[in-house]
Every structure is written in structure tokens, then in C-alpha cells.
């Protein structure tokens, strides 16, 4: 039994109204695996880095109990690099640089020791590579979660639609749900998307929370209102990692557990944005996580008397 | 004991992507009093109309048990008229016409029979008139709720700030909260606004629900995801009316009751947008309202096991 998380492991340089960073460790698989590690102890990462990714960076995974056998290190090459600058409202950003480097010809390797995978998180990558990972697993996992973005809808929609047929849960934001479905109403969008393959759709709305759709059921999760969003980078990946990590922990996939998984994912994401990059989510205690989850409970609980 | 609702009683002509109306009855006090009437039986309206407002229009109030003694009818004058056209996303609209008519020199009359007022809803109007109503009540009501909009922040901020000192609850949308406070973060905005007079702040976020702030407590209420928003006109007023109507019914003002009041207000507002104008909210059964409230419960309930 294990949880495989595939995605970018990379360097980011981030500028927000609060400051800027040099190259710091980032990438979808980094955020997601760290988040998942708070709930589940058998997290295994699949990705690729260059030799500019140092042992100390890999140690960060290892100290969280994350298996890095599937993380290829390409000698003489450089890691994927992204640089971006957030605007004042933190809801929009400019990409300043994207250097694919090792990612350009990434061919994911699934070590034999990973073949016990029951939960699979496909972080944002080309749909083709996401699909390859599913096909390289000898047994179909119990749950496959896919994260993607508008970019792949623009340049690789056919591949994406084919990959969607193979997954159980899709996580996208509201604009992406509208683009993928061609429907403005999120209710109508969800109905269309749930015919494309996924049985569950999570629409991430950032500061407005998240919606979970499954058959005729809808769950609306709040976002924690924050005095300051310091750096939103990685929040979506952290959410997805916390989400699937919690589900891997409880083991049973159903609507009720998914609801809780969204709350746990949202709690982790709310920590993520409090500092630059992974700074906050590398050093959380179980007590901090539990207290944050309790804040979500307090935030959204009401009792209507009949 | 009674609930007074003051605000516009008017004619609207509305165009949405789904169709358009001739002049239909609208206005903040119309929506709010109809919504409140589903929860509380002693709703009393204060407003002004012209003689183009027919007995049949007034009868709509009366059949809902709404007292219209405080609704002045000006012979030889015309009612306030607003016309607007919504864009495809329904989140923005163009005002096509605003004819103040009787509203231009509106001087609210509080009939003696209204002096038993315990709950007061000040619908969107000039802050000066809102203030006048408070001062014309011999006893300070148990709860005063004020709704306002960005327009008054632009043209009458000083009057608004003075009026805010006299109220318990302020309902505004997120952009208005940012404008009033000068803070982008809604958490920071709420802290500033809660020093201006109101002890409770409700930030309406439309399709993203609502936030209630009080001291250090926050409640996040979901919005019901709808397949179609047919006409958003009056949704905010319907919300406010349902909110104060529910509080008037339970009688006790505290954070827990406010949370429920927001759910009941949201439920009524979710009906309002399903048809043009007041068409949907004039004909609801208690069963429909209860079922809709249950949808809100289902939408947002989760159970985290410790």
C-alpha cells in the first residue's frame, strides 16, 4: 500500500508585494508530497531534477518519510525553473521565466517498489505523461486524482480528454472548469465534466473555498479568511496533497471522506500561503494541523433547529 | 413588538440574457419585507410611492401580512423607477435609467402604531434618511441592521460614517467592504469596520456565499450552487429581509442565531434569483423554504473525527 505523487520538482523565484525570493525549491510534487506526509506515511514521489538539486533538498523529502526512489537526478542537466511575480490582489500573476530543462524529455520511471500503489496523485504536467504513469502501474490504483490547468486545455485538449477517462477525481479552478466544459454555471459545468471520466470533481475557488461534485451531491467547503496571503504559490498542490494524503490514511473512498479530505487539504493550503514557498509546510506539528482544522469546523458549523 | 423595514418601493425594468420585463414591482423594502414575512408575522414597511403604484401592488404586501400604514402614496407623483441590463456573467450590470420621482424628497413617516419596533432593517437609501428613521423611533430597537452600497461611499461618506455609529449590523458586499475600510484583505477590512459602530459585519459575496464577522469570530456561509441565475435583482435585499425576519422570529440576538439567520436569508435569496423580480418569492410555501434550508445544511455539513 502506498500513495504515489507525480509532478514537477523544481526551483521557483517568486516576487509578491511582500518581498522576493532567490531560487527556492518548489514544484507540484514537492508541495503535494509534503502536505500528504502529514497524514500518510507511505508517500512515494515520481519526478525528475537536475544536478543543481542538492542532497539537502532531497533530504527534506526523506525527513518527511517521503520515498524518493522514483525521483530521477539527471547529471549535467538543470532542474525545471519557474519565476513569477504576483500582483497586488494576489489573484493574478505574471510569469517572468519558464525553463523546462530536465522536464523537456521527462520519462517517468516507476520503481518496482512503487507497484503497491493504491492512491495516485497526478500533479499538473502534460496529460501524456500523466497518462503514461497510469499505464505503467501494473494494478489500477483504488483512486486516481488528476490536477491540470488551462494551459493544457489550450495546447493539448485531446490528450487531456483521453487522460480524463482514466481518472476518478479531477481538481481544477473555476475558470478552468468553465473552459473545459464550455459552461459558465459551475453546476452545468460539473454535470458535463462528470461525463468525461472523473466521478468526482473538485472546483478550487481560492479565497472562496472549494466545491465538490459527485452524482447529484454537492459539498461547499469554506476557505479560511486570512489577514494576509503572503505567497499563493503551491497552494493548489498543497491542497491536492493534503486531500489525497487524508484519503490514503482513512483508506475508504466515499463522499463523506472526500468532504473531510477537502477540509484537511484546505487547512494545509491555508498554511502554505502564510510564507514563501514551502517554508511554512515543511515544519508543521500535528497539533498545529489539528488546530487549523478545528478553525475550519468553527468557521462553517451552524445548527438549524427544525 | 414588530419589525420595521424601510427602503425603496419602486418599479424596475430588467433585462437579463434570459429575457426582459416591463415595469414590475421592485425596491429594497419590497424584497426585504416579502422575505421577512416568511418568518415573522409583524412586518411593517416604511416607504413612499406615487399614484402609479396600484392597490393590487399594495395588496401583495397585505396578503403577506405586511403592515403598509407607513407606506406613503403621493397623489399626482410617480414611483421611483430603475432600469438595468445584466451582462452575460450576471455579476455586472449597466443602469439604463434611474428616475427618483417621489424618492427625491422622501421624508419617512413612522406611524404611532410602529413605535413598538424591536427590529429595524434600514434598506439601501441615503444615509441621512436611514439616520432619520432611527431618530424618529422613541425607543432604540433591540437590533438595527443597515444595508448600503458603494454609491453612498462615493457621494455621502461622512453621513454614512455618522449613521454607522448608530447601527448593530452592517451588510455590504466584498468590494464595498474594501472601499469602506481601505483594506484589501476582508479580515483586515472587517476589523476596521467593526470599530466604526456595527458590532456585526456581514460581507455578501454573491455566488461565493457570505461572511459574518463579530469580535474575533467568523462564520462562512455557502451559497447554493445554481444551474441558472435568472435575475439577480433584489437578491441582497431578500437576503437581508430573510436574515432579520428570522432573528425577529427567534427574538434573541447572538452569534449562533445570526449564523442561522444568514442561512435562512441565503435560502430566500437563492429563490429570488430563479425568476424575474419578486415573482418567485411572493409564492413560496413553508415546505419549500424548509427544503431549501435543508439543501444548505447538506451542502456544508461535514464531520471530522478527532
Amino acid at each position: 500500500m502506498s500513495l504515489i505523487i507525480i509532478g514537477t520538482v523544481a526551483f521557483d523565484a517568486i516576487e509578491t508585494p511582500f518581498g522576493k525570493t532567490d531560487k527556492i525549491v518548489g514544484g507540484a510534487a514537492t508541495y503535494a508530497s509534503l502536505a500528504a506526509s502529514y497524514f500518510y506515511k507511505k508517500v512515494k514521489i515520481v519526478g525528475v531534477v537536475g544536478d543543481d538539486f542538492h542532497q539537502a533538498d532531497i533530504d527534506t523529502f526523506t525527513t518527511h518519510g517521503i520515498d524518493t526512489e522514483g525521483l530521477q537526478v539527471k547529471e549535467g542537466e538543470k532542474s525545471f525553473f519557474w519565476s513569477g511575480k504576483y500582483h497586488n490582489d494576489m489573484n493574478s500573476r505574471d510569469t517572468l521565466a519558464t525553463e523546462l530543462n530536465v522536464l523537456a524529455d521527462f520519462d517517468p520511471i516507476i520503481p518496482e517498489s512503487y507497484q503497491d500503489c493504491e492512491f495516485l496523485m497526478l500533479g499538473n504536467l502534460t496529460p501524456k505523461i500523466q497518462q503514461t504513469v497510469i499505464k505503467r502501474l501494473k494494478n489500477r490504483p483504488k483512486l486516481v486524482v488528476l490536477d491540470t490547468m488551462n494551459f493544457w486545455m489550450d495546447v493539448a485538449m485531446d490528450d487531456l480528454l483521453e487522460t480524463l477517462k482514466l481518472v476518478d477525481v479531477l481538481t481544477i479552478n473555476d475558470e478552468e472548469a468553465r473552459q473545459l466544459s464550455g459552461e459558465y454555471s459551475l453546476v452545468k459545468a460539473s454535470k458535463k465534466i462528470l461525463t468525461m471520466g472523473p466521478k468526482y470533481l473538485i472546483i478550487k475557488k481560492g479565497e472562496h473555498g472549494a466545491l465538490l461534485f459527485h452524482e447529484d451531491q454537492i459539498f461547499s467547503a469554506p476557505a479560511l479568511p486570512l489577514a494576509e496571503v503572503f505567497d499563493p504559490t503551491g497552494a493548489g498542490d498543497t491542497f491536492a496533497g493534503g486531500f489525497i494524503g487524508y484519503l490514503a490514511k482513512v483508506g475508504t473512498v466515499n463522499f463523506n471522506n472526500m468532504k473531510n479530505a477537502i477540509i484537511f487539504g484546505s487547512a494545509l493550503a491555508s498554511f502554505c500561503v502564510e510564507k514563501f514557498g514551502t517554508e511554512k509546510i515543511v515544519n508543521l506539528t500535528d497539533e498545529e494541523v489539528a488546530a487549523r482544522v478545528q478553525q475550519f469546523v468553527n468557521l462553517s458549523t451552524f445548527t438549524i433547529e427544525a
Side-chain angles (χ1 to χ4, degrees), chain A:
Chain A
M1 314 298 169
S2 66
L3 160 58
I4 294 181
I5 293 178
I6 175 172
T8 51
V9 178
F11 289 113
D12 293 338
I14 301 160
E15 189 171 341
T16 80
F18 299 102
K20 58 190 290 185
T21 69
D22 291 329
K23 282 191 177 186
I24 57 173
V25 174
T30 302
Y31 286 100
S33 63
L34 289 171
S37 75
Y38 286 97
F39 305 121
Y40 191 64
K41 293 303 154 207
K42 288 173 186 156
V43 179
K44 300 176 180 187
I45 206 168
V46 173
V48 62
V49 292
D51 61 9
D52 52 352
F53 206 80
H54 298 121
Q55 188 57 43
D57 300 324
I58 293 177
D59 289 347
T60 304
F61 293 117
T62 324
T63 56
H64 280 82
I66 299 164
D67 191 332
T68 59
E69 194 185 339
L71 181 65
Q72 305 169 51
V73 182
K74 300 275 190 179
E75 292 302 324
E77 295 187 45
K78 288 172 88 177
S79 303
F80 175 55
F81 172 67
W82 176 82
S83 174
K85 179 178 175 171
Y86 289 88
H87 301 164
N88 280 334
D89 67 359
M90 289 289 193
N91 286 321
S92 56
R93 67 185 186 190
D94 293 328
T95 290
L96 304 177
T98 305
E99 298 170 12
L100 285 182
N101 299 326
V102 290
L103 210 61
D105 55 358
F106 175 38
D107 187 33
I109 293 173
I110 313 291
E112 190 55 36
S113 68
Y114 280 35
Q115 289 292 350
D116 62 350
C117 170
E118 278 204 318
F119 290 84
L120 174 61
M121 171 76 229
L122 299 163
N124 178 35
L125 270 178
T126 73
K128 275 262 192 238
I129 293 180
Q130 292 175 317
Q131 203 179 127
T132 299
V133 172
I134 300 174
K135 293 186 173 163
R136 286 184 182 168
L137 288 170
K138 292 172 188 160
N139 302 305
R140 208 265 181 194
K142 185 191 280 188
L143 190 78
V144 180
V145 178
L146 182 135
D147 186 46
T148 189
M149 67 184 296
N150 52 356
F151 180 73
W152 305 116
M153 298 175 196
D154 293 335
V155 304
M157 184 62 116
D158 289 347
D159 290 344
L160 177 59
L161 290 174
E162 211 174 302
T163 308
L164 280 180
K165 291 180 189 157
L166 308 175
V167 311
D168 303 301
V169 183
L170 172 64
T171 69
I172 45 180
N173 70 29
D174 38 4
E175 284 318 307
E176 290 157 352
R178 288 174 173 135
Q179 182 172 350
L180 181 60
S181 65
E183 293 284 353
Y184 184 80
S185 151
L186 297 181
V187 172
K188 289 185 179 176
S190 72
K191 286 200 194 305
K192 274 202 182 172
I193 293 169
L194 290 178
T195 67
M196 295 179 181
K199 293 183 284 291
Y200 297 88
L201 170 66
I202 295 171
I203 298 181
K204 299 173 287 185
K205 301 195 296 170
E207 62 167 328
H208 301 302
L211 294 171
L212 167 66
F213 295 89
H214 172 62
E215 296 172 351
D216 287 330
Q217 294 176 286
I218 311 178
F219 172 59
S220 173
L224 192 68
L226 296 169
E228 253 162 31
V229 171
F230 194 82
D231 170 20
T233 310
D237 304 309
T238 302
F239 168 84
F243 170 79
I244 198 166
Y246 175 84
L247 282 175
K249 172 190 167 190
V250 296
T252 308
V253 173
N254 59 39
F255 194 71
N256 274 333
N257 288 343
M258 288 249 178
K259 294 201 287 188
N260 288 354
I262 286 176
I263 298 298
F264 279 89
S266 301
L268 265 289
S270 76
F271 282 119
C272 178
V273 303
E274 288 182 0
K275 292 197 176 177
F276 271 125
T278 61
E279 197 178 337
K280 185 80 182 187
I281 61 162
V282 287
N283 271 317
L284 293 170
T285 64
D286 289 347
E287 290 70 27
E288 283 176 301
V289 174
R292 185 59 61 96
V293 167
Q294 187 59 44
Q295 279 188 273
F296 276 80
V297 173
N298 297 345
L299 183 65
S300 54
T301 302
F302 60 90
T303 311
I304 300 277
E305 286 156 40

